[in-house]
């Protein structure tokens, strides 16, 4: 491996102007970024994530309101109240949510959809508009490639995983950069043969150490979105130790995509106010 694609360096570069940007918003628009996070009790991992968002917001002087409902009715009430609050500049739903509730995402005012998950935000992205409302994890992949000046034009890129938060939003972003893309998923046949053709592979399936050296070509660039736990240790979808000699560049887990994703949420929160 010639290049370790370190998320920390990318994150540092994104967050270096946060303080100045927030200050400018206060001075020029008299606005403070203020995010509301709505969820329902039950999922421990997701609540841990919410606490991390709260801590991160606090760190950068962003106001944050957390509303965790006991049931669906309470969630709907919370959402109604939050929508009426003009001072709230960004709204996000903490997944997983029951389907009926998750569909309310489309009622978030477009300019406050900081995660870019509504049908409208996703539609705009597919029509070529890249603004603040892009799902953070997919954007983190692009930020890492951009930071390390990896040219995507004409490259053969294989994305493994087709979720709404990673695989799908990556399609327009990669196309905008003139890449040739293939999306694989659990029903894809001959995945190993497809992977071996790739200049760049983006793994987002949630299967520990799935990608091995015999599946990649010499000098491939590998981006690992996966977060899995093996014997209490966090590992990605790529078997880092196995591929590191054969690949040209790899993102580590932890220390790769995840850290950039967290910072990009803050970036999206600030950008959405800048665009008001
Ligand atoms: P998801 O919604 O569960 O989607 C997983 C995708 O992987 C699906 O498209 C599925 O195919 C595909 N898949 C599963 N097994 C496969 C296999 N053996 N071969 C090929 N494709 C396979 O997951 P997600 O939310 O996108 O997350 C994916 C991973 O990224 C997870 O490990 C998650 O924890 C991690 N993640 C990381 C961050 C970060 O900040 N680093 C953020 C979000 C998620 P089908 O569509 O056919 O079922």
């Amino acid at each position: 491996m010639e290049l370790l694609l370190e998320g920390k360096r990318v994150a540092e570069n994104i967050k270096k102007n946060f303080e100045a940007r927030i200050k400018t918003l206060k001075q020029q628009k008299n606005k403070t970024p203020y995010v509301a996070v709505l969820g329902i009790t039950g999922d421990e991992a997701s609540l841990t994530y919410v606490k991390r968002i709260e801590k991160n917001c606090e760190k950068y002087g962003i106001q944050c309101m957390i509303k965790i409902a006991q049931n669906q009715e309470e969630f709907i009430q919370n959402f109604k109240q939050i929508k009426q609050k003009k001072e709230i500049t960004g709204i996000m739903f903490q997944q997983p949510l029951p389907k009926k509730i998750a569909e309310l995402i489309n009622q978030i005012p477009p300019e406050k959809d900081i995660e870019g998950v509504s049908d409208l935000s996703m539609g705009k992205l597919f029509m070529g508009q890249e603004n603040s409302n892009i799902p953070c994890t997919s954007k983190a992949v692009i930020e890492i490639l951009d930071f390390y000046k990896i040219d995507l034009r004409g490259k053969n890129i294989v994305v493994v995983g087709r979720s709404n938060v990673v695989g799908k939003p990556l399609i327009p972003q990669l196309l905008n950069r003139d890449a040739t893309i293939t999306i694989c998923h659990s029903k894809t046949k001959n995945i190993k043969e497809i992977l071996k053709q790739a200049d760049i592979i983006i793994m987002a399936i949630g299967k520990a150490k799935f990608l091995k050296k015999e599946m990649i070509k010499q000098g491939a660039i590998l981006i690992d979105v996966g977060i899995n736990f093996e014997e209490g240790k966090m590992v990605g979808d790529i078997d880092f130790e196995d591929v590191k000699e054969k690949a040209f560049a790899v993102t580590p887990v932890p220390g790769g995509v995840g850290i950039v994703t967290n910072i990009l949420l803050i970036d999206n929160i600030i950008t959405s106010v800048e665009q008001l």
Side-chain angles (χ1 to χ4, degrees), residues 122-263:
M122 201 62 90
K124 282 184 175 175
L125 178 60
F126 268 81
M127 293 313 286
Q129 284 185 36
E130 282 194 23
N131 52 24
S132 68
N133 299 342
I134 297 180
C136 300
T137 312
S138 71
K139 197 171 169 185
V141 171
I142 300 293
E143 288 284 345
I144 291 171
L145 292 166
D146 280 354
F147 179 85
Y148 284 98
K149 300 193 169 32
I150 294 167
D151 185 15
L152 306 187
R153 179 171 295 188
K155 294 280 162 58
N156 188 8
I157 303 186
V158 175
V159 179
V160 191
R162 56 173 164 179
S163 74
N164 289 346
V165 288
V166 194
K168 280 187 202 141
L170 268 170
I171 299 170
Q173 295 175 82
L174 295 171
L175 282 179
N176 283 348
R177 286 162 179 79
D178 296 329
T180 302
I181 53 174
T182 306
I183 310 289
C184 298
H185 46 79
S186 68
K187 313 292 182 297
T188 301
K189 289 184 180 138
N190 305 326
I191 193 164
K192 288 181 186 171
E193 286 71 21
I194 296 170
L195 287 166
K196 277 212 98 159
Q197 303 297 318
D199 301 313
I200 300 173
I201 298 173
I202 301 165
M203 291 297 303
I205 61 173
K207 298 274 181 297
K209 298 181 179 171
F210 177 94
L211 193 80
K212 308 280 183 196
K213 63 172 182 270
E214 61 272 17
M215 302 177 187
I216 65 168
K217 78 173 178 190
Q218 186 73 37
I221 294 171
L222 311 175
I223 309 287
D224 197 347
V225 177
I227 298 176
N228 313 284
F229 288 90
E230 243 185 22
E231 293 160 8
K233 200 172 157 239
M234 191 194 283
V235 296
D237 290 346
I238 296 176
D239 190 337
F240 186 90
E241 287 304 316
D242 192 59
V243 300
K244 71 178 185 193
E245 296 306 325
K246 197 172 179 187
F248 172 76
V250 191
T251 58
V253 176
V257 175
I259 186 170
V260 182
T261 301
N262 292 337
I263 284 299

